[in-house]
Amino acid sequence: MEANDKRYITLILVHVLLGVFFYFFKSASFIYGFAIFLFGLYYVIKTGNKNNEVLFVSAYIVGSEVFLRMTGGSILYEFSKYGVMIFLLLGMFYSGFSKNAVPFWIYLLLLLPGVVVATETLNLETDMRKSIAFNISGPVCLGIASIYNYNRKITFSQVNNILLTLGLPVVTTAAYLILYTPDLKEVLTGTGSNGETSGGFGPNQVATILGIGMFVFFSRLIFSSKTKLIFILNLIIAFNITYRGLVTFSRGGMITGFLMIVFLLIYLYFNANTSGRYKLNLLFVFMTLVFSLIWIYTSMQTSGLIDKRYANQDAMGRVKESRFTGREEILASEIDAFKDSPVFGVGVAKGLEIRYEKTGEIITSHNEISRTIAEHGTLGIMALMIVFFTPVFLYIDNKQHVYMFCFLVFWLLTINHAAMRIAAPAFVYSLSLLKVTIDKTTD
């Protein structure tokens, strides 16, 4: 067995054991959260960020965020977003940033008026600092991460290693979930998102991180499985993460991960030669077979409830009235808010107050696009356009960035169903701005 294979297997085994350990000693996860931050700080300062170490530390923070929230190990609830910002600002201190990252300085400036408006429009009894910070931390994290990564030169193998660093804590999460819910049939009673199969935490966030984990290990099947042993190991991991994601019964994260894989395969197909396309055809067949087996197995384990969930049916097979679990009403309220204040918006976090005044319920937005438009107005639309079009324009001179469209798709779809509650969409999006060159090694 090669030394690289041994290291890889050891890394996987350690993260599986972490999941097992924290299942039995849940309170100890707080030490894990602190250790990630302290070791990351030591690692970056020691290396001086010579090889973009801040990206690896940030990736690990992003991958572990949901697990730490699930087990109560977060230093602060929003620690991951602030952690990513701290490390990437530290990275700028050591390695600077591109002078051409002007679009994202403009993006951050466009967010400011919404904060100012909020100080005037939010109710007096509202904790203004917490409300504004909760809603603006995700977009600010995206801006800072994008400034650091804008046209930063990096090799394809380094990108794969960054993704692996993000994926390792997802392995820990999957191991924890296996122990947390050993028998699905005892906890499945309907087709709604299920906290019992999501480690007792929000299924939407759990499915989101499992979805990106699914993508990471399926991509490793393609690029980083040089031996049969590593191929089988990556296949087992991808199978388990996908299965655990499906049984959360939260659709958004899993559909997003699946579409990332589809975009990756399409990109490879159109950029391959005749011999490469033949191999990809075989890969398409293999992937189709794997996903079919995972679905069949999940359907059997859930007594067909997963089929009904994705068909938008209840446990009795009746089609649900709302395809988006009531999120249409939130969208309508945010469109109305934009109409009322089309230039500067109603102010950061004001949308939640407006819905509370109308319904008497605290209903947070799941859609970052409509929230941004409502709370930042036309300036928010301009900010979103910068985010969407910048990587597309950069791609013209960045054709070797194999994952660019995958990362953009992850950001776009995730913020449509889970807003920016976790750091993943901000950080993964910023990776689409990297200047990637193909190297001889891919692991």
Side-chain angles (χ1 to χ4, degrees):
M1 186 184 297
E2 294 182 6
N4 284 340
D5 288 355
K6 286 183 179 179
R7 283 196 296 269
Y8 184 68
I9 293 170
T10 301
L11 276 174
I12 297 297
L13 183 59
V14 166
H15 283 83
V16 169
L17 292 176
L18 282 173
V20 174
F21 177 80
F22 291 123
Y23 173 76
F24 291 104
F25 303 98
K26 190 174 178 180
S27 59
S29 67
F30 189 76
I31 300 171
Y32 180 46
F34 253 114
I36 293 170
F37 180 76
L38 293 177
F39 177 78
L41 205 58
Y42 168 78
Y43 180 51
V44 172
I45 293 173
K46 181 182 178 182
T47 59
N49 196 45
K50 291 179 181 177
N51 293 299
N52 293 304
E53 283 80 5
V54 291
L55 289 180
F56 292 90
V57 176
S58 297
Y60 197 87
I61 289 173
V62 168
S64 63
E65 179 177 14
V66 170
F67 178 75
L68 290 174
R69 285 184 178 181
M70 184 189 298
T71 56
S74 294
I75 300 171
L76 299 168
Y77 190 76
E78 295 290 309
F79 162 72
S80 290
K81 294 174 193 173
Y82 294 123
V84 169
M85 287 188 271
I86 289 169
F87 279 104
L88 294 182
L89 285 170
L90 190 60
M92 291 182 207
F93 172 77
Y94 281 114
S95 309
F97 54 87
S98 173
K99 63 181 180 180
N100 296 319
V102 175
F104 290 97
W105 288 111
I106 296 172
Y107 165 80
L108 289 174
L109 289 173
L110 289 170
L111 299 177
L112 280 177
V115 176
V116 175
V117 171
T119 62
E120 298 293 328
T121 59
L122 288 176
N123 296 334
L124 292 175
E125 60 270 21
T126 299
D127 188 328
M128 193 174 297
R129 183 186 63 81
K130 285 186 178 180
S131 295
I132 292 175
F134 177 78
N135 285 276
I136 205 70
S137 58
V140 172
C141 180
L142 183 148
I144 291 174
S146 297
I147 289 169
Y148 178 83
N149 281 326
Y150 191 94
N151 255 343
R152 186 169 294 274
K153 293 180 180 179
I154 196 167
T155 64
F156 181 65
S157 62
Q158 286 177 310
V159 177
N160 276 332
N161 287 332
I162 290 168
L163 288 178
L164 173 61
T165 308
L166 189 156
L168 288 172
V170 183
V171 173
T172 299
T173 305
Y176 180 88
L177 291 174
I178 290 170
L179 294 173
Y180 190 93
T181 315
D183 190 350
L184 291 178
K185 293 176 182 177
E186 290 183 1
V187 297
L188 291 179
T189 56
T191 59
S193 298
N194 196 308
E196 289 296 319
T197 59
S198 307
F201 191 64
N204 203 0
Q205 294 182 27
V206 175
T208 297
I209 207 67
L210 290 173
I212 187 69
M214 174 180 75
F215 170 78
V216 167
F217 286 97
F218 269 108
S219 69
R220 293 193 71 78
L221 283 174
I222 301 171
F223 299 118
S224 304
S225 297
K226 295 179 179 179
T227 64
K228 290 182 180 178
L229 175 63
I230 298 302
F231 184 87
I232 293 170
L233 177 60
N234 284 329
L235 183 61
I236 291 170
I237 296 169
F239 188 102
N240 276 280
I241 290 175
T242 304
Y243 171 67
R244 283 293 147 188
L246 286 172
V247 298
T248 64
F249 278 69
S250 184
R251 295 168 292 187
M254 299 311 295
I255 292 172
T256 298
F258 176 76
L259 288 177
M260 289 176 74
I261 294 170
V262 170
F263 268 80
L264 175 61
L265 293 175
I266 290 173
Y267 173 90
L268 293 174
Y269 190 82
F270 282 103
N271 287 275
N273 54 28
T274 303
S275 174
R277 288 187 177 184
Y278 173 75
K279 292 178 181 178
L280 281 169
N281 285 332
L282 295 177
L283 185 62
F284 288 146
V285 174
F286 176 75
M287 290 292 191
T288 302
L289 178 62
V290 169
F291 276 111
S292 298
L293 289 173
I294 295 172
W295 186 270
I296 292 168
Y297 179 75
T298 307
S299 181
M300 291 171 59
Q301 292 298 308
T302 61
S303 302
L305 288 176
I306 194 67
D307 305 85
K308 293 176 181 178
R309 172 60 171 168
Y310 278 78
N312 196 46
Q313 297 174 352
D314 62 18
M316 300 297 291
R318 297 169 298 198
V319 177
K320 297 179 181 179
E321 291 183 12
S322 172
R323 180 169 289 275
F324 303 105
T325 59
R327 293 173 188 174
E328 303 94 330
E329 289 81 1
I330 302 174
L331 177 62
S333 73
E334 289 174 328
I335 291 173
D336 289 339
F338 171 73
K339 290 177 181 177
D340 292 338
S341 303
V343 181
F344 296 108
V346 296
V348 176
K350 185 62 181 177
L352 186 145
E353 287 189 353
I354 293 172
R355 287 189 292 276
Y356 180 73
E357 291 166 4
K358 289 182 178 179
T359 65
E361 298 180 21
I362 298 175
I363 307 171
T364 55
S365 179
H366 290 267
N367 191 314
E368 190 68 19
I369 293 177
S370 60
R371 187 204 68 78
T372 300
I373 292 171
E375 297 182 1
H376 296 271
T378 302
L379 298 182
I381 295 175
M382 294 168 63
L384 289 170
M385 290 178 67
I386 288 172
V387 176
F388 181 80
F389 286 109
T390 301
V392 177
F393 287 136
L394 288 178
Y395 179 71
I396 295 171
D397 191 39
N398 196 17
K399 297 287 177 65
Q400 295 186 44
H401 196 337
V402 174
Y403 296 121
M404 195 280 286
F405 288 107
C406 303
F407 295 156
L408 188 59
V409 164
F410 177 76
W411 166 77
L412 184 61
L413 295 184
T414 299
I415 66 170
N416 269 282
H417 72 83
M420 295 185 78
R421 306 277 171 76
I422 58 177
F427 179 73
V428 172
Y429 165 82
S430 74
L431 298 178
S432 70
L433 304 171
L434 292 167
K435 178 73 171 179
V436 181
T437 54
I438 301 295
D439 49 8
K440 292 182 180 180
T441 58
T442 56
D443 199 357

